Amino acid sequence: MFIGAHMTINPLSSVPSRTLKIGGNTFQIFSQSPRMWRMNFNEKEVEKFREEMSKTGIDPTKVMIHASYLVNLASPKEEIWEKSKNRLKWELEVAHRMGLKYVNVHPGSRVGSSEDEAMERVARAISEVLKDSPQDVKLLLEIVSPKGGNIGYNFFQLKKMADMSGCEVEFTYDTCHGFDGGYDICSKDGMERLLEEIDKTVGMNKIAMCHLNDSKFPINVHKDRHERIGKGYIGREGFSNFFSYKVVHSIPMVLETPGGDEEHAEDIAVVKEIWSSLGISK
Ligand code: MN
Ligand code: MN
Ligand code: ZN
């Protein structure tokens, strides 16, 4: 089983060893500040990072970069759409130079346009970006919460965007976003509905990653507020139901829960407790 957390990069080269310290064996990072368009790259630090990756033995094919929050591949504003494509291209290039396999992105927000128009723009952006990006890095479309004009809040939409792009993209399931959009992973029925929808659309083998987050709000309220594992409306029992399905065991789990390394270590311990109670060997 693979588990880890979204790690701060202060500095980048500390991430692999801090991951082991909190009980993880994988992680997610931002390549730099996710709220600034400016792009920079510290070659020395990346070199050190790669050394630390081999020292710790963390498998880089289970690690992802989360693209900047500024990226909106669905934006109807030409300038933002162009900037978004450039930034995503750069994130893929950085992942390549870091030796990491995945870049995860939120498809985008329709900002007043229709969902169909938004999906069409996302698809076009993906095909333009991937056309001249490193082939060893995979792009992941993350399921989002159905709030604020977000597109990609179910697997029908994600599949449609992927198909229209004509590219081989894969997907990230986020347990908080899904819950926020009505996928009840706490119940048997809810889990079966989710797995059936995935089977009918993108296929389980295309779910490359999972963001493991509890939810501060009840199901289907469209708020997208992450909570620590076991402390929200999904709760230990909900995650216990989720992990009772073997098909999710091969997906790396990455926390995007509140707090820093200390809190993440506690949350990872909670997840491991759930696994042991289900007889799942790590
Ligand atoms: Mn995300
Ligand atoms: Mn997420
Ligand atoms: Zn979220």
Side-chain angles (χ1 to χ4, degrees):
M1 306 277 286
F2 286 90
I3 184 145
H6 181 101
M7 305 292 283
T8 55
I9 47 168
N10 49 358
L12 175 67
S13 57
S14 73
V15 173
S17 62
R18 278 165 48 225
T19 291
L20 299 188
K21 238 179 258 165
I22 64 171
N25 54 4
T26 185
F27 58 86
Q28 169 179 280
I29 48 173
F30 291 126
S31 58
Q32 62 174 79
S33 166
R35 304 195 189 275
M36 289 199 294
W37 282 113
R38 190 168 51 82
M39 300 178 229
N40 52 39
F41 185 83
N42 184 333
E43 208 156 322
K44 272 218 172 94
E45 192 52 27
V46 169
E47 203 174 300
K48 247 165 103 185
F49 168 79
R50 294 186 71 131
E51 279 164 23
E52 287 299 310
M53 283 297 281
S54 9
K55 259 193 235 161
T56 52
I58 293 177
D59 181 355
T61 70
K62 310 287 182 198
V63 174
M64 65 187 144
I65 286 181
H66 195 302
S68 161
Y69 292 133
L70 298 173
V71 169
N72 183 4
L73 304 175
S75 178
K77 292 194 189 112
E78 189 68 20
E79 196 203 335
I80 301 292
W81 193 64
E82 289 297 332
K83 273 176 146 177
S84 295
K85 287 186 292 177
N86 281 336
R87 177 59 175 259
L88 185 60
K89 216 177 276 181
W90 187 81
E91 305 269 11
L92 289 157
E93 176 62 30
V94 170
H96 168 74
R97 293 202 220 166
M98 287 185 183
L100 305 178
K101 175 148 182 212
Y102 296 109
V103 169
N104 176 84
V105 70
H106 298 178
S109 175
R110 62 194 169 84
V111 208
S113 62
S114 75
E115 288 194 335
D116 281 337
E117 289 167 325
M119 286 194 278
E120 194 270 325
R121 274 193 298 274
V122 173
R124 206 144 36 89
I126 292 172
S127 65
E128 284 182 30
V129 167
L130 291 184
K131 196 172 54 203
D132 40 34
S133 288
Q135 295 301 304
D136 55 338
V137 181
K138 267 247 169 302
L139 183 65
L140 303 178
L141 295 181
E142 177 177 356
I143 193 167
V144 286
S145 155
K147 76 161 195 186
N150 275 349
I151 197 76
Y153 52 80
N154 63 47
F155 284 100
F156 300 103
Q157 293 180 342
L158 292 171
K159 159 94 170 145
K160 194 167 175 187
M161 290 183 272
D163 283 355
M164 283 194 294
S165 78
C167 298
E168 293 257 327
V169 298
E170 296 187 8
F171 306 89
T172 300
Y173 188 71
D174 182 308
T175 56
C176 175
H177 297 173
F179 191 72
D180 207 38
Y183 294 96
D184 184 11
I185 58 166
C186 307
S187 77
K188 202 167 174 278
D189 282 0
M191 258 322 266
E192 268 150 32
R193 185 194 137 211
L194 170 63
L195 296 176
E196 200 183 292
E197 183 175 311
I198 292 173
D199 278 340
K200 272 199 301 208
T201 53
V202 300
M204 201 62 200
N205 61 331
K206 298 291 183 207
I207 310 294
M209 289 284 179
C210 184
H211 286 158
L212 198 71
N213 301 313
D214 209 328
S215 173
K216 266 197 186 19
F217 286 95
I219 191 161
N220 211 13
V221 296
H222 308 185
K223 297 250 195 209
D224 187 16
R225 292 284 302 283
H226 302 190
E227 180 55 287
R228 297 187 54 193
I229 304 299
K231 298 194 166 165
Y233 279 86
I234 296 175
R236 279 192 192 225
E237 292 197 354
F239 285 112
S240 185
N241 184 62
F242 178 70
F243 283 117
S244 73
Y245 291 79
K246 275 209 175 72
V247 283
V248 306
H249 294 184
S250 54
I251 308 169
M253 301 284 156
V254 177
L255 307 170
E256 295 175 316
T257 48
D261 288 6
E262 206 176 305
E263 289 78 12
H264 291 145
E266 288 171 22
D267 285 0
I268 288 172
V270 170
V271 174
K272 288 182 175 175
E273 273 170 42
I274 295 169
W275 290 349
S276 340
S277 74
L278 292 167
I280 300 166
S281 56
K282 296 146 209 161

